Short mmCIF file of all heavy atoms in Angstrom, two decimals:
data_model
loop_
_atom_site.label_atom_id
_atom_site.label_comp_id
_atom_site.label_asym_id
_atom_site.label_seq_id
_atom_site.Cartn_x
_atom_site.Cartn_y
_atom_site.Cartn_z
N VAL N 103 -70.30 12.77 -15.49
CA VAL N 103 -69.00 12.17 -15.20
C VAL N 103 -68.83 10.88 -16.00
O VAL N 103 -69.73 10.03 -16.04
CB VAL N 103 -68.87 11.89 -13.69
CG1 VAL N 103 -67.56 11.17 -13.38
CG2 VAL N 103 -68.96 13.19 -12.90
N ASP N 104 -67.68 10.76 -16.63
CA ASP N 104 -67.28 9.55 -17.36
C ASP N 104 -68.31 9.10 -18.40
O ASP N 104 -68.66 7.92 -18.50
CB ASP N 104 -66.98 8.40 -16.38
CG ASP N 104 -65.70 8.63 -15.60
OD1 ASP N 104 -64.94 9.57 -15.92
OD2 ASP N 104 -65.45 7.86 -14.64
N ILE N 105 -68.76 10.05 -19.22
CA ILE N 105 -69.83 9.74 -20.17
C ILE N 105 -69.43 8.76 -21.27
O ILE N 105 -70.30 8.20 -21.92
CB ILE N 105 -70.42 11.01 -20.81
CG1 ILE N 105 -69.35 11.79 -21.58
CG2 ILE N 105 -71.10 11.87 -19.76
CD1 ILE N 105 -69.92 12.92 -22.42
N ALA N 106 -68.15 8.53 -21.46
CA ALA N 106 -67.72 7.58 -22.49
C ALA N 106 -67.37 6.22 -21.90
O ALA N 106 -66.88 5.34 -22.60
CB ALA N 106 -66.51 8.14 -23.25
N THR N 107 -67.66 6.04 -20.61
CA THR N 107 -67.38 4.76 -19.95
C THR N 107 -68.67 3.95 -19.90
O THR N 107 -69.60 4.30 -19.18
CB THR N 107 -66.83 5.00 -18.53
OG1 THR N 107 -65.65 5.79 -18.61
CG2 THR N 107 -66.53 3.68 -17.84
N GLU N 108 -68.71 2.89 -20.68
CA GLU N 108 -69.91 2.07 -20.73
C GLU N 108 -70.23 1.55 -19.33
O GLU N 108 -69.37 1.01 -18.64
CB GLU N 108 -69.70 0.90 -21.69
CG GLU N 108 -70.95 0.10 -21.94
CD GLU N 108 -70.75 -0.95 -23.01
OE1 GLU N 108 -69.95 -0.73 -23.93
OE2 GLU N 108 -71.43 -1.97 -22.92
N ASP N 109 -71.46 1.72 -18.92
CA ASP N 109 -71.93 1.30 -17.60
C ASP N 109 -71.15 1.92 -16.45
O ASP N 109 -71.08 1.36 -15.36
CB ASP N 109 -71.90 -0.24 -17.46
CG ASP N 109 -72.84 -0.92 -18.43
OD1 ASP N 109 -73.90 -0.33 -18.74
OD2 ASP N 109 -72.51 -2.02 -18.89
N GLY N 110 -70.56 3.10 -16.68
CA GLY N 110 -69.79 3.74 -15.61
C GLY N 110 -70.03 5.23 -15.48
O GLY N 110 -69.36 5.90 -14.72
N SER N 111 -71.00 5.75 -16.23
CA SER N 111 -71.24 7.20 -16.18
C SER N 111 -72.21 7.53 -15.05
O SER N 111 -72.94 6.68 -14.54
CB SER N 111 -71.80 7.69 -17.51
OG SER N 111 -73.04 7.05 -17.76
N MET N 112 -72.21 8.81 -14.66
CA MET N 112 -73.14 9.29 -13.65
C MET N 112 -73.41 10.77 -13.93
O MET N 112 -72.50 11.52 -14.26
CB MET N 112 -72.56 9.13 -12.25
CG MET N 112 -73.48 9.56 -11.12
SD MET N 112 -75.04 8.63 -10.99
CE MET N 112 -74.48 6.97 -10.62
N PHE N 113 -74.68 11.13 -13.81
CA PHE N 113 -75.08 12.52 -14.02
C PHE N 113 -75.47 13.13 -12.68
O PHE N 113 -76.20 12.52 -11.90
CB PHE N 113 -76.26 12.58 -14.99
CG PHE N 113 -75.85 12.22 -16.40
CD1 PHE N 113 -75.72 10.90 -16.78
CD2 PHE N 113 -75.59 13.21 -17.33
CE1 PHE N 113 -75.33 10.56 -18.06
CE2 PHE N 113 -75.20 12.89 -18.61
CZ PHE N 113 -75.06 11.56 -18.98
N PHE N 114 -74.98 14.34 -12.43
CA PHE N 114 -75.30 15.10 -11.24
C PHE N 114 -76.12 16.30 -11.72
O PHE N 114 -75.57 17.31 -12.16
CB PHE N 114 -74.02 15.54 -10.52
CG PHE N 114 -73.22 14.37 -10.00
CD1 PHE N 114 -72.26 13.76 -10.79
CD2 PHE N 114 -73.44 13.87 -8.72
CE1 PHE N 114 -71.52 12.67 -10.31
CE2 PHE N 114 -72.72 12.78 -8.24
CZ PHE N 114 -71.75 12.19 -9.04
N PRO N 115 -77.45 16.20 -11.64
CA PRO N 115 -78.33 17.22 -12.23
C PRO N 115 -78.38 18.51 -11.40
O PRO N 115 -77.94 18.54 -10.25
CB PRO N 115 -79.69 16.52 -12.24
CG PRO N 115 -79.63 15.57 -11.09
CD PRO N 115 -78.19 15.10 -11.02
N PRO N 116 -78.93 19.55 -12.00
CA PRO N 116 -79.00 20.85 -11.32
C PRO N 116 -80.16 20.89 -10.31
O PRO N 116 -81.16 21.58 -10.51
CB PRO N 116 -79.20 21.83 -12.47
CG PRO N 116 -79.91 21.04 -13.53
CD PRO N 116 -79.37 19.64 -13.39
N VAL N 117 -80.02 20.13 -9.22
CA VAL N 117 -81.06 20.06 -8.20
C VAL N 117 -80.47 20.39 -6.84
O VAL N 117 -79.25 20.32 -6.62
CB VAL N 117 -81.74 18.67 -8.17
CG1 VAL N 117 -82.48 18.39 -9.49
CG2 VAL N 117 -80.74 17.57 -7.86
N VAL N 118 -81.37 20.72 -5.90
CA VAL N 118 -80.98 21.01 -4.53
C VAL N 118 -80.17 19.83 -3.98
O VAL N 118 -80.51 18.67 -4.18
CB VAL N 118 -82.23 21.26 -3.66
CG1 VAL N 118 -81.88 21.33 -2.19
CG2 VAL N 118 -82.94 22.54 -4.11
N GLY N 119 -79.09 20.14 -3.31
CA GLY N 119 -78.22 19.11 -2.75
C GLY N 119 -77.02 18.81 -3.62
O GLY N 119 -76.07 18.17 -3.18
N ILE N 120 -77.08 19.26 -4.88
CA ILE N 120 -75.94 19.06 -5.79
C ILE N 120 -75.37 20.40 -6.21
O ILE N 120 -74.17 20.64 -6.10
CB ILE N 120 -76.33 18.20 -7.02
CG1 ILE N 120 -76.71 16.79 -6.55
CG2 ILE N 120 -75.19 18.16 -8.04
CD1 ILE N 120 -77.17 15.86 -7.64
N VAL N 121 -76.21 21.30 -6.69
CA VAL N 121 -75.79 22.65 -7.07
C VAL N 121 -76.36 23.64 -6.05
O VAL N 121 -77.27 23.29 -5.29
CB VAL N 121 -76.25 23.01 -8.51
CG1 VAL N 121 -75.67 22.03 -9.52
CG2 VAL N 121 -77.76 23.07 -8.60
N PRO N 122 -75.87 24.87 -6.02
CA PRO N 122 -76.43 25.86 -5.09
C PRO N 122 -77.93 26.05 -5.31
O PRO N 122 -78.41 26.01 -6.45
CB PRO N 122 -75.65 27.14 -5.43
CG PRO N 122 -74.36 26.65 -6.01
CD PRO N 122 -74.72 25.40 -6.77
#
Side-chain angles (χ1 to χ4, degrees):
V103 176
D104 289 350
I105 61 171
T107 302
E108 187 173 329
D109 297 327
S111 62
M112 182 62 63
F113 290 80
F114 296 89
V117 296
V118 170
I120 295 177
V121 300

